[in-house]
Amino acid sequence: MDVRAWLLTNEERENPHTRIDDIRGDGTAWSRGNTVRAIVHGRPYFAELHSRISRLGPGDRLYFADWQGDPDQQLTDEPTSTLSATLVAAARRGVDVRGLLWRSHWHRLGFSAHRHRYLGEEIGEAGGQCLRDMRVRTRGAHHQKFVVIRHRDDPADDVAYVGGIDLCHGRRDDQDHHGDPQAVEIAKAYGPTPPWHDVQVAIQGPAVHDVETTFRERWEDSTPLTVNPGRLLSSLFHREDLSPEPLGDQEPPPAPRPDGHDVVQIIRTFPVIMPKGFDFAPEGERSVMLGNSKAIAHADRLVYVEDQYLWSDDVGEHFAAALREKPDLRLVVVLPMLPDLEGAMAEVPQLYGRTRAMRTIIEAGGDRVAVFGLCNADGIPIYVHSKTCVIDQRWASVGSDNLNRRSWTSDSEIACAVVDERGDLDDRAPADSFPRVLLRTLVAEHLGCDPADVPEDPHELFDAMVACAHALDEWYAGGVPDKRSGIRGVLIGRVPHRMAPVPRSIAAHVPGHRRRRERVVARAEEISRHGSVRGVRPPGQLRRLSPPELTDAQLRWAPRLYDTLFDPDGRPRPGDRS
């Protein structure tokens, strides 16, 4: 199959300064012969990561980059398996451990700058090096989340992990969605241990080299880690290490896998930073946006998205244009039911960004568009943190990038785009292809059924998800749920009834008039009192979402905060200074 229809060429990456594609020698911007495997949820990912790191020995290499890393985050149920202890033990065994963490903002605002410094100090004392990186635009962040493991004696075992899962509190959840015991504090509606949905991929084969190159380009860049006088003074006061030590020569890419039929392209976002840009991207790189735009132009029947945000007119038009052009196209979007932050100044700008995108999309697609939130068996919302897209079961992307201007232009991001090279472009990908397996796995969890029972036809799958959400919405509304499911006509399995009250805080944070909030709270309490007489809870997690409704007053002030703080546009303008 000619994958150039789905993936960016080297020229289309629009960054002639990067060396990510140099290894192939012919300008090809992707690698063949890879195997890609999805790891859904943080608990299995952390367990696999801990197992892999624990087996590393002298001469092996471990490179990681992250938005947030908590030294005390447990990777397994064993109390001693913290992130810090695992990485320190590896460094003491002679593993070359290197890390780049976003320096973050002031910790009193809820960010992790001080914890990142502690993690760096502990790794440094063990012989590795983990640095805090502040080479970002004003109000920007390093948002990449990846780990590269390379073996001195067995390159066939090399692996790179890319996706949305940070090495920090709150992420170690599983499909039961009771949350990570080491909880992260977000909106109260998500409970004391917020349920967390996320996706990471494990890449093996030549593409490991491309992820490693992404790390090396940042590590070896000549731009100082920070030029902010205040932060520099703080670093000097704490005697913080600010000088990346040489990494040594990069090994050749791992050989193609015997069973490797995944074509992988690593796409990134890097902003233009001032006063000195990155050596490898002085004019920035926006291959995440460009790659997504090229792929969606080929969408015909189904685009499936899971994302943390879905913000802005630009993102709305990204999908709306495809829906207008392809009358047979369906779009499924899975989002958090509520913003992660409470208070009008945080909630309303996020809802403003969502409503702008959703209204544009729905105007274009009508009932061919379905937007869902998720809740667990107890009715608690599940925070959707995954950044995943599957197009026509042929192209898939998993990464750190969200569907907003920030991820497409302002923050550093990384994603793995995958196409199965078997078959013709117009044929359906094989049943065991990565995009089809990923789609089945995610949809099966949301429908509450076995992956084998997920409809293969894209339109039947769309109808099944709509029917599942309708049944659950009716149940929570106190009605009698329809016994038909859309999954070949019958809901697969029934779960024992569990009391599923709607948390008061969901209602308490609906923007609008106080009396409206009081009515919603009263309705939630009524559902809680009478839930046991409504019959068996329908399976699945899906709840239908509509565009948020904001008041006229909110629509006057929200855009200013949204544009400047929540979703800045990182594309340079004349006279712009970061």
Side-chain angles (χ1 to χ4, degrees):
M1 184 184 74
D2 187 353
V3 299
R4 287 176 294 182
W6 288 94
L7 302 176
L8 297 175
T9 64
N10 181 264
E11 292 76 16
E12 288 171 332
R13 190 185 287 276
E14 296 185 359
N15 179 13
H17 305 277
T18 180
R19 64 177 190 267
I20 190 172
D21 301 323
D22 291 352
I23 189 65
R24 286 168 284 277
D26 59 359
T28 302
W30 55 79
S31 62
R32 299 179 183 270
N34 302 285
T35 59
V36 182
R37 172 174 50 87
I39 307 174
V40 184
H41 310 309
R43 179 173 288 270
Y45 171 52
F46 284 179
E48 179 172 324
L49 197 60
H50 180 264
S51 176
R52 286 239 179 212
I53 296 173
S54 298
R55 298 198 303 266
L56 296 176
D60 296 335
R61 294 174 171 177
L62 188 156
Y63 302 154
F64 68 98
D66 214 332
W67 176 79
Q68 183 170 332
D70 289 322
D72 63 335
Q73 173 60 46
Q74 289 181 213
L75 301 182
T76 73
D77 289 330
E78 174 58 46
T80 60
S81 66
T82 64
L83 175 65
S84 178
T86 302
L87 295 176
V88 165
R92 288 174 176 165
R93 292 194 304 271
V95 180
D96 185 13
V97 177
R98 311 293 183 101
L100 281 171
L101 296 171
W102 177 42
R103 181 159 183 162
S104 185
H105 301 310
W106 192 31
H107 73 272
R108 294 187 183 276
L109 297 177
F111 292 93
S112 307
H114 66 303
R115 292 197 293 271
H116 292 177
R117 178 166 57 84
Y118 299 153
L119 182 61
E121 290 172 352
E122 291 170 345
I123 292 174
E125 291 172 0
Q129 195 174 30
C130 179
L131 306 176
R132 297 193 298 174
D133 192 344
M134 198 55 193
R135 294 170 293 187
V136 297
R137 291 180 61 85
T138 302
R139 300 182 298 278
H142 280 306
H143 198 242
Q144 296 172 333
K145 312 143 194 304
F146 65 85
V147 178
V148 178
I149 293 176
R150 303 213 61 179
H151 300 79
R152 182 185 63 185
D153 300 325
D154 187 13
D157 203 29
D158 291 353
V159 62
Y161 298 99
V162 175
I165 305 180
D166 299 280
L167 301 173
C168 69
H169 295 166
R171 274 52 169 178
R172 198 167 72 97
D173 199 2
D174 57 27
Q175 64 182 5
D176 292 332
H177 286 304
H178 298 307
D180 185 344
Q182 293 176 279
V184 61
E185 185 176 347
I186 58 175
K188 293 182 180 64
Y190 292 97
T193 55
W196 199 274
H197 177 74
D198 225 328
V199 180
Q200 201 85 350
V201 292
I203 308 165
Q204 291 190 273
V208 171
H209 189 276
D210 295 349
V211 183
E212 181 188 0
T213 299
T214 296
F215 180 86
R216 284 175 171 266
E217 284 185 326
R218 263 182 68 187
W219 185 271
E220 297 170 348
D221 195 87
S222 64
T223 307
L225 293 176
T226 182
V227 295
N228 181 287
R231 291 182 179 274
L232 184 59
L233 182 63
S234 172
S235 294
L236 294 174
F237 176 79
H238 290 290
R239 299 181 180 180
E240 182 177 4
D241 191 353
L242 297 175
S243 301
E245 297 176 1
L247 294 174
D249 294 337
Q250 187 174 10
E251 296 297 325
R257 308 279 291 177
D259 57 343
H261 39 72
D262 291 327
V263 181
V264 172
Q265 180 165 73
I266 301 303
I267 48 181
R268 297 97 57 89
T269 299
F270 288 106
V272 178
I273 58 174
M274 300 293 179
K276 178 185 180 300
F278 291 111
D279 301 335
F280 61 89
E283 300 168 6
E285 179 174 324
R286 289 177 286 277
S287 55
V288 163
M289 178 187 68
L290 297 169
N292 278 266
S293 298
K294 184 171 185 177
I296 202 169
H298 296 283
D300 285 317
R301 302 202 70 203
L302 178 69
V303 175
Y304 177 90
V305 170
E306 293 185 359
D307 200 75
Q308 185 180 4
Y309 295 124
L310 190 76
W311 288 350
S312 85
D313 293 332
D314 292 341
V315 168
E317 185 59 30
H318 172 78
F319 294 107
L323 288 162
R324 294 189 202 103
E325 184 176 343
K326 305 291 179 63
D328 207 32
L329 183 63
R330 305 290 189 272
L331 172 64
V332 170
V333 182
V334 180
L335 300 172
M337 291 179 67
L338 298 161
D340 57 336
L341 301 175
E342 294 182 326
M345 301 299 283
E347 277 185 290
V348 175
Q350 293 193 55
L351 295 175
Y352 171 80
R354 178 182 289 192
T355 197
R356 294 298 299 235
M358 284 183 66
R359 292 189 184 280
T360 300
I361 292 168
I362 292 171
E363 285 175 6
D367 60 5
R368 294 181 289 130
V369 177
V371 183
F372 303 107
L374 304 178
C375 68
N376 68 10
D378 295 318
I380 304 299
I382 298 169
Y383 191 72
V384 178
H385 191 257
S386 53
K387 302 95 168 53
T388 299
C389 181
V390 182
I391 299 178
D392 284 343
Q393 303 172 315
R394 173 62 77 178
W395 178 96
S397 173
V398 177
S400 65
D401 56 301
N402 290 298
L403 288 167
N404 56 15
R405 289 183 311 196
R406 173 182 288 278
S407 281
W408 281 3
T409 66
S410 185
D411 293 349
S412 66
E413 306 283 6
I414 184 171
C416 169
V418 185
V419 176
D420 194 294
E421 65 180 343
R422 295 174 291 177
D424 296 328
L425 182 63
D426 296 330
D427 293 340
R428 179 180 293 184
D432 64 345
S433 67
F434 174 76
R436 286 183 69 178
V437 171
L438 174 64
L439 182 63
R440 278 199 306 272
T441 302
L442 296 173
V443 173
E445 178 185 322
H446 302 331
L447 291 178
C449 70
D450 189 274
D453 292 312
V454 174
E456 288 292 342
D457 180 80
H459 291 180
E460 290 182 10
L461 183 150
F462 179 93
D463 293 342
M465 297 185 74
V466 170
C468 179
H470 176 73
L472 204 54
D473 287 341
E474 286 289 306
W475 189 83
Y476 277 110
V480 178
D482 187 347
K483 293 182 180 180
R484 296 182 61 81
S485 72
I487 308 175
R488 300 187 180 94
V490 181
L491 280 169
I492 306 300
R494 294 284 180 178
V495 297
H497 173 70
R498 300 175 67 182
M499 180 70 78
V502 177
R504 181 185 180 95
S505 51
I506 292 180
H509 293 282
V510 175
H513 196 274
R514 179 178 177 182
R515 278 183 287 183
R516 178 187 173 192
R517 295 185 183 183
E518 290 174 348
R519 288 197 301 271
V520 177
V521 169
R523 181 59 176 154
E525 292 174 344
E526 180 184 355
I527 291 172
S528 177
R529 288 195 301 271
H530 300 290
S532 60
V533 301
R534 296 201 310 274
V536 176
R537 180 190 188 277
Q541 304 168 335
L542 296 168
R543 305 294 306 275
R544 199 72 183 261
L545 295 180
S546 299
E549 297 182 5
L550 304 182
T551 67
D552 290 340
Q554 289 166 340
L555 288 172
R556 283 194 292 271
W557 64 261
R560 299 176 184 176
L561 277 181
Y562 172 78
D563 288 332
T564 57
L565 295 179
F566 287 87
D567 200 21
D569 189 338
R571 288 169 288 195
R573 294 165 293 187
D576 185 32
R577 288 293 182 268
S578 182

